Amino acid sequence: MSENPSAEPAQVVTIMTTEHFTLQTARSGTISDANGRSSLYLSSVSGVLVALAFVGQVSNLGTAFYLFSLVLFPSLFFLGLVTFVRVLQTAIEDMVYARGINRIRHYYTEVAPQLKKYFILSTSDDMLGMQRNMGSIIPRFQLYFTNAGMIAVINSVIGGVFFGLLLAFFFSTLPAWVYILVGAVILAISVALHQRFQEMQWTKAYKSYPVVFPGEQDV
């Protein structure tokens, strides 16, 4: 008996289709996880804003309002930060699974080349192949369209508001435009840092999985 028996063609196809199904199920799991965490975060933001509105009415935007805000906004920012990181992780996981499915689809075309013209999705596991599966070339600002990008902007707004309120609490005699300017600067810096982190993580993840079937395979 051979020490390294080879699987029969039918067995190989079964194995590949099983792996295809497993990867597709895993992709559904990442999407569900990302949507659930995003919904939790947005619900928390909504709840805090409603609570602040009530406190502001009761206290006439007095000390109680500022203290309440300065306690809640950092907590909300932390929740947004961990949500941002997690939904980014799930998006990267989804990318890995998608590349795996593209590789398996490429195998299908190796087994049955005549079927290649019937596959509308890409058989390449490079970035071009992934973009083709989305129907278009992804622009650089696509990162703002992801769940992580959305949370990054909202979380940055919360950070900007927090610093604006903090400044207003300790230096109440300053003109309003100063608070707005400080908040806007913090907002811009926070968005830049969030997006820079996201770009670095995507680049690192993509390089961790070498391309096996480049785009020219689809030509």
Side-chain angles (χ1 to χ4, degrees):
M1 179 180 295
S2 174
E3 295 182 359
N4 298 302
S6 299
E8 297 295 329
Q11 293 176 318
V12 173
V13 172
T14 300
I15 292 171
M16 298 298 277
T17 53
T18 301
E19 179 66 7
H20 191 154
F21 174 77
T22 301
L23 292 174
Q24 190 62 53
T25 302
R27 290 196 68 187
S28 298
T30 61
I31 295 172
S32 177
D33 185 24
N35 290 340
R37 289 177 179 269
S38 299
S39 297
L40 175 62
Y41 173 67
L42 294 177
S43 298
S44 299
V45 172
S46 177
V48 167
L49 293 180
V50 171
L52 286 177
F54 281 117
V55 173
Q57 289 179 347
V58 172
S59 64
N60 294 320
L61 299 180
T63 302
F65 171 77
Y66 282 99
L67 292 178
F68 199 68
S69 301
L70 296 179
V71 169
L72 286 182
F73 277 128
S75 302
L76 200 58
F77 185 84
F78 172 77
L79 177 62
L81 194 62
V82 296
T83 303
F84 165 77
V85 173
R86 182 52 192 158
V87 297
L88 175 58
Q89 290 175 343
T90 57
I92 292 174
E93 289 176 22
D94 185 69
M95 179 271 291
V96 174
Y97 300 147
R99 292 183 66 183
I101 290 175
N102 280 11
R103 290 183 181 182
I104 294 175
R105 193 177 294 113
H106 189 278
Y107 174 77
Y108 294 156
T109 63
E110 292 178 349
V111 174
Q114 71 275 16
L115 298 179
K116 186 172 184 178
K117 62 182 179 181
Y118 297 103
F119 289 128
I120 194 171
L121 297 181
S122 176
T123 60
S124 303
D125 65 336
D126 58 2
M127 187 59 68
L128 179 60
M130 293 176 56
Q131 292 177 352
R132 288 185 58 184
N133 286 350
M134 296 182 66
S136 63
I137 301 300
I138 302 175
R140 183 176 180 81
F141 54 82
Q142 176 70 26
L143 292 180
Y144 289 96
F145 300 157
T146 63
N147 278 347
M150 173 192 68
I151 292 172
V153 174
I154 296 176
N155 211 38
S156 298
V157 170
I158 292 172
V161 171
F162 168 75
F163 278 96
L165 288 174
L166 186 65
L167 190 64
F169 180 72
F170 288 105
F171 304 97
S172 58
T173 58
L174 294 175
W177 67 266
V178 175
Y179 310 136
I180 296 174
L181 179 61
V182 170
V185 171
I186 296 299
L187 165 64
I189 294 175
S190 180
V191 169
L193 291 176
H194 277 82
Q195 297 303 82
R196 177 57 180 166
F197 178 80
Q198 187 174 188
E199 289 179 0
M200 291 173 60
Q201 292 301 111
W202 275 109
T203 301
K204 180 180 177 181
Y206 185 73
K207 290 181 177 179
S208 298
Y209 297 88
V211 174
V212 178
F213 305 111
E216 55 263 29
Q217 297 289 339
D218 284 336
V219 178

